[in-house]
Amino acid sequence: MRKLLMAAVLSALAVQAHAAAAPDTLAKVMKSKELLVCSPGDYKPFSFDNNGKFEGIDNDLVERLAQSMGAKVKIVKSSWPTLIADFKSKCDLGVGGISITLPRQQQALMSEPYFTNGKTPLVRCEDVSKYQTAEQINQPHVRIVANPGGSNENYARTVLTSAKLTMHPENLTIFNEVAEGRADVFVTEAAEAIVKTHEHKGVLCGVNPDKPLRPAQNAWLIRDNDFRFKAYVDQFLRLEKLSGGLDQTIQRWLPR
């Protein structure tokens, strides 16, 4: 009997310790009236730093999420190589067109997906027929370019291993490497390929963005073990889908 009682006490203490250690972002945000959001801010149409004002699909959505908690959004600018570390140390949420990957899920929770995306070649328009498949790109004579720290670099290094890879330090000017002939292909996400095709009409073209080389989904980073906040964010996204608000926001920022 004494052993059973001791086991029950230890179990209760373990539950209390776990509860104390688990974050409660929902309570924190509702008390502080501030939602701290990490974003690289270099990825149209999701999140883009427009002279200090962050704009895009994710920014519109997190503003409404914060309003539902009676809070204001404070953006913490990050980068793709430091996103996870910045999120863990500084933020309540990580956004900006973040692909769901297993390595990311080893370090944080992720919301349910709100957008279906996928790896898509961005090339000069005259070269569209040359780069329809990963096999056509993965050749020693093909010059590819990638930005560091995200899924684009991972795809280049793990799938396009035979192509000639050059790393470009940031995502804002990487498209010029292809447009100006210093690279042949930049494999990015379908949404970004669509935006850049629109911005560089007749110069850059996304190759079959409706049929990506590797399908993917975008979601938000949530603190590990914070299942209450994840449930809240997931329900917010479900309601956005049901109300049509998500589609309206996507249509606002994604050109067709």
Side-chain angles (χ1 to χ4, degrees):
M1 189 67 177
R2 185 176 297 174
K3 289 181 179 180
L4 289 173
L5 181 60
M6 182 62 70
V9 169
L10 291 175
S11 178
L13 290 173
V15 169
Q16 290 177 1
H18 176 76
D24 190 349
T25 301
L26 181 58
K28 169 184 171 292
V29 172
M30 293 184 71
K31 182 178 180 180
S32 69
K33 306 300 182 185
E34 185 175 66
L35 178 65
L36 300 174
V37 178
C38 278
S39 175
D42 62 358
Y43 186 179
K44 293 183 179 180
F46 297 102
S47 183
F48 182 73
D49 183 358
N50 186 7
N51 296 318
K53 178 178 172 55
F54 278 64
E55 300 176 338
I57 295 169
D58 285 22
N59 297 102
D60 283 2
L61 290 173
V62 294
E63 287 288 346
R64 297 203 288 273
L65 174 67
Q67 288 171 11
S68 76
M69 296 180 284
K72 299 287 187 181
V73 173
K74 181 179 179 180
I75 297 290
V76 178
K77 189 165 185 178
S78 183
S79 69
W80 291 106
T82 64
L83 177 59
I84 293 292
D86 288 343
F87 164 70
K88 286 183 172 182
S89 62
K90 303 174 184 178
C91 292
D92 305 312
L93 202 64
V95 311
I98 302 170
S99 297
I100 300 174
T101 66
L102 295 180
R104 283 175 177 146
Q105 289 198 302
Q106 291 169 6
Q107 302 185 68
L109 295 175
M110 299 198 80
S111 71
E112 72 170 36
Y114 63 93
F115 191 88
T116 299
N117 219 340
K119 292 303 172 196
T120 298
L122 187 68
V123 304
R124 290 179 295 279
C125 292
E126 62 266 26
D127 292 338
V128 167
S129 63
K130 293 167 59 176
Y131 302 119
Q132 292 281 309
T133 67
E135 289 73 24
Q136 288 175 312
I137 300 169
N138 193 29
Q139 300 294 328
H141 66 276
V142 177
R143 300 167 301 164
I144 63 173
V145 63
N147 50 319
S151 60
N152 291 341
E153 179 183 8
N154 177 267
Y155 187 86
R157 293 193 183 280
T158 60
V159 177
L160 306 177
T161 54
S162 295
K164 184 179 180 181
L165 172 63
T166 298
M167 296 301 299
H168 192 74
E170 51 90 23
N171 201 37
L172 295 177
T173 59
I174 194 170
F175 315 98
N176 295 334
E177 298 302 297
V178 177
E180 296 170 10
R182 292 184 291 273
D184 301 311
V185 183
F186 172 40
V187 177
T188 183
E189 297 295 329
E192 187 167 56
I194 291 170
V195 169
K196 295 307 171 181
T197 297
H198 180 78
E199 291 181 352
H200 300 265
K201 286 184 178 178
V203 178
L204 294 178
C205 288
V207 181
N208 304 322
D210 57 332
K211 298 178 181 178
L213 301 177
R214 175 191 285 172
Q217 292 178 309
N218 297 113
W220 295 341
L221 291 169
I222 297 171
R223 289 189 174 276
D224 196 18
N225 292 322
D226 197 350
F227 294 102
R228 190 162 91 105
F229 191 50
K230 174 174 165 54
Y232 188 89
V233 172
D234 286 349
Q235 184 62 14
F236 166 80
L237 291 171
R238 291 187 199 107
L239 292 174
E240 284 289 316
K241 293 174 185 177
L242 289 170
S243 70
L246 177 60
D247 284 343
Q248 291 174 7
T249 302
I250 291 169
Q251 289 169 13
R252 178 185 178 196
W253 293 103
L254 185 62
R256 289 294 183 181

